[in-house]
Every structure is written in structure tokens, then in C-alpha cells.
Amino acid sequence: MTKPIYIHGSGCVSVQPTFEAGYFFDHVTSYTQNPVPALDPDYKAFIPALQLRRMNKSMRMAIFASRMAMQQAGITTVDAIITGSGLGCLRDSERFVEALRTDEGSLLNPTPFIQSTHNMAAAALALSLGCKGYNMTYVNNANSFESALLDAMIYLTEHPAATILLGGVDELGERTTQFWDLANYLKRDDATIPTPLIEQATPGEIATEGATFFVASQEPGDHTFGKIRAVETRLEVDAPEIFISGFLQRNGIEAETLDAVVLGYNGDSRYDEIYRTLGSSLFANLPQIAFKHVVGEYDTVVAAALFLALGIFQRQHVPQRLLLNHSSIPPILRRILIYTQRRGQNHSVILVEK
């Protein structure tokens, strides 16, 4: 049986300035486009300029976010690196396939192929840190980060003295987003961030990108933000309320003992009804918090929800822009549940405590 893990540092690169010192969603950058690329921090603060030129965006974001987390935790080395990525280094994948099609398999540049694999960001992290320990990347659609989180909990149960980097990263591609548009996954004329939710929701999502990393161990410390008590995923769920209630029951708590719930509303009217139903039943008396309407949608975006939950514990403050209802917020926030799904599949719940 796995044990809770403690988070000592976090870093996030997204379409909001989450990498800026002191930023916590009190103001939100607006966009009127789809897809929306992540904001670029000063990568040179952590990555030498010569190396930076050779890195794709996934690698850059992952290294920057992980170094932020390590700086916050006050460490310089880790024993293992565990990541999740739904689409990996997508731009290099597209570049290689385009070259293969154009040149008919001759005179191919091997670099895009080498850098197209899903584990390239984790490999770049290991090289930059000199980490020769356990290194694993999980590719499981919109449950990729949750899969990495579960492995992190198992790894730390087996290696209680270890300190690890845990994270999720995904980048946008040009061709892939065109395919998503053809499949009617994306919003078109009404594409905005912040994305209107609930009554104003329309079909489609806002595609974005980002990287969020955490320093984790099995023991609390002086800089501990919170602990992850449990995680569970399901590809398909007939009744989300039963799935979540069962998860809470298996962990010995009642919905009424939660202080808040973070829900994955993304403004897609075809699937947000799942959250709305839960918000009027199981979570009716709880403060409900949204996050995808300001950071967009990508496979590992739930890592940004965990970043948000830990920030709420640290500050004991819920940004007004993210609140969905008017339920009173407890004086001390100690327990938050995160629930997300994407396009009606890949359901997940994460229980986070102060």
C-alpha cells in the first residue's frame, strides 16, 4: 500500500505568468486566440544559451519549472525523475514526419527524430542535473500526470529516503491542432481566455501548453507545502458521483470534510455538465474552484491544478477569479479534492492535504 508523499517545492510554466515571484492568479492575462502558446520565462536563468538553442519547448519548460521547484525546496540534486506527457515533444515529431514526407525518406536530419520521443524532457532534466537514478515517463492521454504521480507514490514507498522530481509537460504542435480543429475539439470564433463557464459555455476547448514540476519525498520538512494522500483514475465512468464517493470512502473521509474542490471546467459545453451535476449534488455545500478557464486545456494540465491547490495551502487564500460559487471558505484550508476529466474520458481524483 502506498503512503502519502510531501511536496517541498513547485514550479509552473503556463499561459499565465505563474513563473513570476509572488504571482497567484490575482490578475489574469487575457487571450483571444486558439491555440495559445505558453509564456516564455527567462530560460537563460537556468539554461546556458548554447544548450538552449538546441532544446525544444518541452525541454525548456520542463527544465525551467523543475529548477524553480528545486530552488524553492532548497536542493540541488534529486534521486529520481518521474514525468507524465500526453503528446511528448510534439513539434519535433511533426517536423520529422514532415521531412520524411517531403524528402521521401532521404537526407533526413536525425535531430528531430532523436528529440521527438516522449521521454526527451525527462532525459534533458537528468542530463542537466547529473541524475543517474530512476527515470520514467508515463504516456496515458489526459491521465499521464496522474500515472506519474501514482508511480512516484510507489517509488517513495519503496525508497523512503529518496527525494524526487515529479512533473507533467506538454507542448503545442502546428499540424496536430489543425487536426483537433477538424475533429471539432477546439473553440473557434468565441475562443477567449478567461473562458466563459457554465451558462455561457460553448462547444470546444482552448488548447494550450505548459509544464509543472514538484519536489517530493515521503517525509515532511521545513518547506513542505502539503501532502498528496491519494490518486485514482478511470478511463470511463458511468456515474462520476459514485466514482468520487467510492474514492473518498476508500480513503476514510466524507465529502463534507473537504474544505474545497477544484473542478476541471474548461468551457466546453459538451462535457462541463459533468462538473455542473457534481456541483449541485456531491459538492453543493463546498467552495468550488476552476482553473482550466485561465490556463487552458492540455493532457497534463491537472499538474497545474495541484500547483494551485498547494498555493492555496501556502497562502490560505483562494483567488476570487477562480471561485465558481459563493460557499463560505473555511478560515483554515486543510483538505482539497481535485477532479478532472477530458472529453468525457480519463477521469481522475487527487486528494491533497495541508
Side-chain angles (χ1 to χ4, degrees):
M1 185 176 178
T2 59
K3 297 180 180 179
I5 63 173
Y6 294 85
I7 305 298
H8 312 290
S10 61
C12 182
V13 176
S14 70
V15 299
Q16 301 298 335
T18 45
F19 48 81
E20 292 181 356
Y23 177 81
F24 196 59
F25 301 100
D26 293 313
H27 65 272
V28 172
T29 304
S30 299
Y31 299 90
T32 55
Q33 65 187 82
N34 195 9
V36 182
L39 294 174
D40 287 317
D42 181 15
Y43 293 116
K44 292 191 293 294
F46 293 121
I47 308 171
L50 192 60
Q51 295 179 24
L52 190 62
R53 289 179 58 247
R54 300 191 181 112
M55 291 182 176
N56 56 45
K57 194 162 187 180
S58 283
M59 296 158 67
R60 295 179 180 191
M61 293 190 298
I63 290 176
F64 192 92
S66 62
R67 288 299 182 92
M68 279 183 65
M70 293 176 66
Q71 190 177 69
Q72 210 169 63
I75 63 171
T76 56
T77 60
V78 293
D79 300 299
I81 298 169
I82 304 175
T83 66
S85 183
L87 292 171
C89 300
L90 189 58
R91 295 179 190 180
D92 276 306
S93 299
E94 291 184 350
R95 191 175 297 120
F96 178 74
V97 173
E98 286 282 358
L100 190 66
R101 184 180 66 87
T102 302
D103 299 333
E104 297 182 349
S106 63
L107 304 174
L108 292 175
N109 179 358
T111 304
F113 174 72
I114 294 167
Q115 295 193 164
S116 69
T117 57
H118 287 71
N119 63 347
M120 196 62 211
L125 270 175
L127 286 170
S128 70
L129 296 174
C131 176
K132 299 178 182 178
Y134 183 75
N135 191 305
M136 185 64 68
T137 297
Y138 285 85
V139 183
N140 193 16
N141 295 321
N143 283 159
S144 297
F145 174 73
E146 294 90 331
S147 301
L149 172 55
L150 182 58
D151 187 37
M153 297 177 80
I154 294 170
Y155 180 86
L156 288 172
T157 298
E158 296 175 345
H159 303 83
T163 299
I164 70 167
L165 264 178
L166 163 70
V169 57
D170 275 295
E171 69 178 25
L172 287 166
E174 182 178 349
R175 287 285 187 179
T176 305
T177 48
Q178 291 174 0
F179 297 148
W180 288 344
D181 188 39
L182 290 171
N184 293 318
Y185 289 161
L186 305 185
K187 288 188 186 297
R188 292 177 180 172
D189 298 334
D190 56 347
T192 62
I193 287 181
T195 312
L197 302 178
I198 309 179
E199 288 85 359
Q200 292 79 33
T202 57
E205 62 191 31
I206 307 290
T208 60
E209 60 186 359
T212 308
F213 276 77
F214 308 93
V215 172
S217 74
Q218 203 176 76
E219 297 296 331
D222 296 336
H223 302 287
T224 303
F225 294 160
K227 68 177 179 181
I228 301 170
R229 183 166 159 184
V231 57
E232 199 167 313
T233 66
R234 293 285 189 278
L235 175 59
E236 295 183 346
V237 172
D238 293 329
E241 185 173 350
I242 295 174
F243 165 57
I244 296 169
S245 297
F247 169 81
L248 294 174
Q249 186 177 22
R250 284 187 288 278
N251 286 281
I253 63 174
E254 301 290 335
E256 294 76 19
T257 65
L258 297 170
D259 295 315
V261 59
V262 177
L263 299 171
Y265 280 97
N266 66 1
D268 190 333
S269 57
R270 296 169 294 186
Y271 307 108
D272 276 1
E273 187 62 30
I274 296 171
Y275 303 115
R276 190 172 183 177
T277 300
L278 288 167
S280 60
S281 55
L282 187 63
F283 304 135
N285 299 317
L286 295 174
Q288 298 168 26
I289 303 166
F291 69 102
K292 289 183 182 179
H293 67 302
V294 297
V295 297
E297 181 71 88
Y298 54 94
D299 280 334
T300 53
V301 72
V302 70
L306 179 57
F307 173 83
L308 169 64
L310 293 168
I312 289 172
F313 288 147
Q314 185 185 16
R315 295 168 174 80
Q316 288 297 304
H317 163 69
V318 178
Q320 194 65 34
R321 289 176 175 269
L322 308 188
L323 274 172
L324 289 165
N325 62 354
H326 301 290
S327 292
S328 60
I329 298 171
I332 300 178
L333 292 148
R334 299 182 183 276
R335 181 179 287 162
I336 293 176
L337 184 75
I338 301 170
Y339 167 66
T340 64
Q341 52 79 30
R342 190 176 190 191
R343 300 172 193 155
Q345 295 185 320
N346 295 294
H347 303 253
S348 74
V349 277
I350 303 174
L351 182 59
V352 196
E353 294 181 345
K354 179 173 168 56

